[in-house]
Amino acid sequence: MQLNSPSAPSTPPTPIILDNLPDPPVPEGVCPRRTRLQIDLLLLAIEALDLGGSEAILAIASDLDLRSVLKHRVVLWQMRSTNPLRRYAQRRPLTILEAKALVVVTCYLARRLTVLIRQLLLAYQQLSDKELSPDHHFRLSEYLERFRAHFRSRMNPRRAGVMVYSSDEKLNELALDLLSQLLFCTGTSGMQRLWISLFDGEVS
Amino acid sequence: MTIQRQYSLPNCTLVLEGLSDQTDASEGEMRPVMSLLINAECHLPGQEKPLLGGREFFESLVTAVSLYAQEFLSGLHLPRHTYSDRPSFVKLERLDRNHHRLSVDPDENNTMTAQQVVNLTTVQLFDLVEAIDQFVADTQTLPFWSLNLAPVPKRYVKSPEPIAKQAIPATIGLSGLALAALAFVSLPAPKVRVPECLTPEATDCPGALNPSEAATSPPSPSVSPSASPFVSPSEAASPSPEASAASPAPDLVQLEQTLNSASAITDPQELDAIAKRLYDQINGQWKTSPRFTENLEYRLGVAKNGDIVGYKAETDAALKNVGQTPLLELLYIPTSSAPVQEAIAQYKVVFTPQGKLEIAPTGSSIGAATPSVTPSPSAVPAMPGEITDKAQLEDLQPKVYDVIDQNWRGTPPFDRDLVYRVRVKADGSVVDYQPDSQIASDYVKDTPLAQLGKPSEPNAEPQEPVASFKVVFKPSGVLQVNPWYGLQTK
């Protein structure tokens, strides 16, 4: 904590773990829409995988010394609510530093869930090869059901971006896409890969 | 000295063979640095022979896989030529949600090789990515290799619209119905007039308007020529029989409902307040820096509460660049195709390339109400025989609430709000109900309305005065009852 990175001269010292992620050249140093949306959805998928997911986010933030950024529940909620599709979407921007902290937490949580993520993806693979619906696998259908419930309760159904996911099938597809993305987060360079991909098409 | 390094994952094994740098290798070192690659083997499931090649092959593999992984994460496709000017042996493409195809071109210098194609599942693809990442992270093997990850610049991205956005235009059709449909009605039937004057010499004939002129010319002289395709509700409230007969829109009933029920907001104070809210709303969401070069001008229909119920691009540039404005994001899409019941105000909204946002109420929003034939907007929606008296409605409201509430039992099995228009007699008994959406219609058996009343028949005139209430059943068990037309003070 005492290491004050020269590249980020913000007043509280930048947690050292965040230095692994480069600063993308985005205007005004705040996250574009797709970044905010994607981070929140990945966390939503983690919560659907793991019942204690939302508690785990704060717990792991403490473990990783990220409490200076992720101070408490309300701050976490405010940060996640910068997702424009949220029911109570916040107009505040998401800073690059905050986004980094969320990405680090996402990847650590995903890494803990590696076995489950692989199992579910393999199950989905086998079911779709046999042209069976994901409902045939208990754990997979449980994940999808929880994801749909989380999504519907937290996203604003009036937003065009949410309307697209009005059917169970569409939401399942989104949940499975997020699950595959979480798998990639578990890798050796998963965190860097995820972080960079969040700014694809957003930098000039 | 030849060294071999192996990176093993459940679905992928990467074997690298190379030479260590003699000068650099200190004696006691357990794991010397491999500094020159000779051979690379990549074992993947379903392949008898591994993918095999030298340095060029391996470079190509690492680049292609790494970039594909990024593409997979961001969902943005990148044209190949932008990240490498060298010909690539290795290609990756997506087959479907869960399958990816890796193809390796034959080596030109070695005629014995043939093109190899491997289909990978997402998990297998990940193992390949991970094997490569472990190699890159290994400081003792080709330490000068790095991932060099960087976000794809805007200009290279082929389809900047994520799938979700591409699907939006279809849904806009629904919400924009009220407004777009109005435009249809404003089209008079040119074919009725044209046949008389088909010959070119009859230019002085009054019917010889070219179709586009005819289309934009107002149907009656009482409307000012500047009337936009956004026909005001009062104008449209009495569509000429000719216009409705010729209108291509099949859904005439719904259209007329919309026209009759959507009234214009004309109170200047209110218009001003909505404009402020609208400005905050759009400005708050407008975060990207403008990439367009001319002003984008839109006409917006806005409900009292600030919801944008529809928009229309006024210029081609505005239509093309709507994705750069927050309008799509802010557009209110009703949960059903039911016509817009709320009054709307119209605004001209201009996005300038300098990043400025200008909002002004349009003239038609105020001027629209001028034709005197139609009754005042607030009176339009009320049917004959409708109870609109404020005191009476206030009196009825708790009665209606109680009768529905007392009959509503059990846990709600639905997960969204159910909205009904319920008509009640002066004594508070339910006459009939009309579901506001498909889901409301599906779950009507789970509400007390099914026992208390009957589904409404649109054409049946009520026998006695009735009052309409908007009744909302929430999944949480909350019941809301409000006068359908609001409370009008006289």
Side-chain angles (χ1 to χ4, degrees):
Chain A
M1 286 293 283
Q2 59 270 62
L3 277 172
N4 210 339
S5 104
S7 60
S10 53
T11 29
T14 314
I16 189 162
I17 192 165
L18 302 184
D19 290 347
N20 291 328
L21 303 174
D23 285 336
V26 286
E28 296 163 37
V30 295
C31 291
R33 175 181 193 272
R34 195 172 64 79
T35 313
R36 292 178 270 134
L37 173 66
Q38 196 61 19
I39 292 177
D40 184 42
L41 288 182
L42 284 168
L43 284 169
L44 205 65
I46 285 182
E47 285 174 282
L49 281 175
D50 177 12
L51 276 181
S54 47
E55 293 299 318
I57 295 174
L58 287 170
I60 206 151
S62 298
D63 294 351
L64 297 172
D65 251 351
L66 288 173
R67 263 331 208 350
S68 60
V69 186
L70 284 162
K71 289 191 191 71
H72 46 74
R73 198 176 305 278
V74 177
V75 171
L76 172 67
W77 177 81
Q78 284 174 338
M79 281 158 68
R80 293 186 61 183
S81 297
T82 58
N83 171 1
L85 299 188
R86 283 254 177 183
R87 261 178 214 274
Y88 303 102
Q90 300 282 301
R91 293 196 190 285
R92 79 188 274 264
L94 184 69
T95 65
I96 293 295
L97 189 75
E98 289 170 331
K100 281 183 186 177
L102 289 178
V103 162
V104 169
V105 168
T106 305
C107 291
Y108 271 86
L109 288 173
R111 224 169 267 176
R112 278 192 190 170
L113 295 165
T114 305
V115 176
L116 178 60
I117 294 172
R118 283 186 82 107
Q119 273 173 0
L120 295 187
L121 283 172
L122 282 173
Y124 168 62
Q125 175 74 42
Q126 285 159 1
L127 289 172
S128 64
D129 284 352
K130 290 184 210 153
E131 296 186 356
L132 290 170
S133 78
D135 302 331
H136 289 78
H137 188 274
F138 173 72
R139 198 65 186 79
L140 182 62
S141 72
E142 192 185 37
Y143 161 69
L144 295 175
E145 201 182 308
R146 258 195 238 144
F147 180 81
R148 292 197 303 264
H150 282 335
F151 187 91
R152 287 191 175 129
S153 65
R154 297 188 205 173
M155 303 302 154
N156 184 350
R158 289 174 153 205
R159 288 271 174 266
V162 176
M163 284 296 289
V164 177
Y165 300 110
S166 57
S167 70
D168 279 5
E169 289 71 36
K170 289 278 176 228
L171 270 182
N172 284 356
E173 285 173 9
L174 176 65
L176 289 165
D177 283 349
L178 290 167
L179 193 62
S180 320
Q181 288 168 12
L182 284 179
L183 174 68
F184 279 72
C185 297
T186 65
T188 307
S189 304
M191 200 187 292
Q192 281 78 8
R193 287 194 181 280
L194 171 66
W195 177 247
I196 294 298
S197 80
L198 290 173
F199 297 93
D200 263 3
E202 306 290 349
V203 300
S204 41
Chain B
M1 184 172 79
T2 316
I3 340 169
Q4 205 181 53
R5 291 279 150 81
Q6 187 170 323
Y7 305 91
S8 289
L9 278 122
N11 294 302
C12 174
T13 306
L14 197 61
V15 183
L16 303 180
E17 226 174 51
L19 297 172
S20 68
D21 191 345
Q22 297 295 342
T23 54
D24 201 42
S26 51
E27 276 303 303
E29 190 140 26
M30 297 292 292
R31 209 162 167 264
V33 175
M34 181 198 286
S35 52
L36 188 69
L37 180 72
I38 302 173
N39 245 323
E41 276 176 32
C42 181
H43 300 257
L44 288 163
Q47 290 295 104
E48 278 179 30
K49 279 194 247 165
L51 303 177
L52 197 65
R55 190 195 143 92
E56 276 197 331
F57 153 77
F58 189 59
E59 256 178 33
S60 205
L61 179 76
V62 170
T63 315
V65 170
S66 186
L67 283 156
Y68 185 76
Q70 186 164 335
E71 195 176 305
F72 180 83
L73 278 171
S74 68
L76 295 175
H77 182 66
L78 178 73
R80 231 215 105 68
H81 61 86
T82 51
Y83 50 77
S84 172
D85 49 355
R86 272 189 280 176
S88 177
F89 303 101
V90 184
K91 270 202 287 284
L92 263 157
E93 57 192 330
R94 192 147 188 179
L95 296 176
D96 57 36
R97 186 165 298 275
N98 212 7
H99 291 90
H100 317 266
R101 171 168 292 165
L102 172 72
S103 48
V104 183
D105 287 345
D107 187 351
E108 280 171 9
N109 306 322
N110 185 350
T111 47
M112 297 296 285
T113 54
Q115 196 196 26
Q116 279 178 291
V117 175
V118 195
N119 288 347
L120 300 170
T121 65
T122 301
V123 175
Q124 291 165 346
L125 170 72
F126 168 72
D127 283 350
L128 173 61
V129 173
E130 180 58 14
I132 287 174
D133 281 356
Q134 288 187 4
F135 146 70
V136 175
D138 184 350
T139 53
Q140 301 301 103
T141 309
L142 307 177
F144 49 88
W145 283 63
S146 68
L147 276 181
N148 281 331
L149 297 172
V152 179
K154 237 177 236 170
R155 60 184 183 279
Y156 290 139
V157 174
K158 237 186 195 170
S159 67
E161 306 282 270
I163 296 165
K165 269 202 176 168
Q166 285 169 1
I168 288 173
T171 48
I172 286 172
L174 272 181
S175 90
L177 178 74
L179 302 161
L182 295 167
F184 279 118
V185 167
S186 78
L187 299 173
K191 63 181 170 192
V192 178
R193 295 180 222 161
V194 171
E196 291 178 307
C197 305
L198 276 178
T199 48
E201 54 276 17
T203 41
D204 54 338
C205 175
L209 295 163
N210 70 42
S212 70
E213 258 175 338
T216 48
S217 73
S220 78
S222 68
V223 182
S224 82
S226 66
S228 69
F230 250 117
V231 179
S232 77
S234 50
E235 220 178 339
S238 53
S240 70
E242 183 191 295
S244 44
S247 164
D251 210 348
L252 275 176
V253 180
Q254 191 168 34
L255 199 65
E256 267 186 52
Q257 268 181 350
T258 309
L259 302 180
N260 293 332
S261 55
S263 49
I265 296 171
T266 50
D267 178 21
Q269 270 186 347
E270 195 158 35
L271 281 172
D272 211 37
I274 299 174
K276 278 196 189 111
R277 211 172 308 155
L278 189 64
Y279 183 89
D280 290 343
Q281 202 185 354
I282 297 178
N283 208 34
Q285 287 292 320
W286 191 25
K287 288 182 181 141
T288 51
S289 47
R291 275 174 280 144
F292 42 86
T293 48
E294 53 181 297
N295 286 358
L296 305 185
E297 213 177 300
Y298 301 88
R299 205 174 268 254
L300 257 59
V302 184
K304 218 171 185 170
N305 60 2
D307 279 337
I308 301 174
V309 295
Y311 71 86
K312 181 182 175 298
E314 296 281 78
T315 59
D316 281 349
L319 190 64
K320 228 172 59 203
N321 293 313
V322 69
Q324 292 189 40
T325 72
L327 291 181
L328 284 180
E329 221 173 277
L330 293 168
L331 191 65
Y332 163 59
I333 296 189
T335 40
S336 70
S337 56
V340 175
Q341 298 290 349
E342 296 163 286
I344 55 168
Q346 292 180 35
Y347 293 92
K348 190 174 103 176
V349 175
V350 182
F351 298 84
T352 73
Q354 290 78 37
K356 240 181 88 189
L357 178 66
E358 289 161 13
I359 292 183
T362 58
S364 65
S365 185
I366 302 163
T370 40
S372 54
V373 266
T374 50
S376 79
S378 58
V380 169
M383 305 273 291
E386 182 80 36
I387 299 170
T388 51
D389 180 54
K390 190 182 173 209
Q392 213 174 344
L393 284 174
E394 275 178 343
D395 181 47
L396 270 174
Q397 185 172 350
K399 285 189 195 159
V400 178
Y401 184 93
D402 285 346
V403 72
I404 296 177
D405 188 48
Q406 282 157 17
N407 286 286
W408 190 19
R409 295 197 185 89
T411 322
F414 40 87
D415 58 358
R416 265 175 282 177
D417 291 1
L418 307 184
V419 181
Y420 302 87
R421 175 179 173 170
V422 177
R423 296 201 292 185
V424 298
K425 286 188 214 160
D427 62 359
S429 59
V430 175
V431 179
D432 56 13
Y433 59 86
Q434 187 184 351
D436 196 42
S437 61
Q438 188 54 48
I439 182 161
S441 157
D442 291 346
Y443 282 103
V444 73
K445 291 268 175 296
D446 295 299
T447 73
L449 293 177
Q451 318 147 25
L452 293 171
K454 55 179 183 9
S456 68
E457 289 158 36
N459 299 324
E461 279 294 313
Q463 299 299 312
E464 51 185 299
V466 288
S468 295
F469 285 91
K470 181 177 179 176
V471 177
V472 184
F473 297 89
K474 292 186 173 277
S476 53
V478 172
L479 175 68
Q480 290 175 349
V481 176
N482 287 297
W484 186 262
Y485 297 115
L487 291 171
Q488 290 165 20
T489 40
K490 297 236 165 122

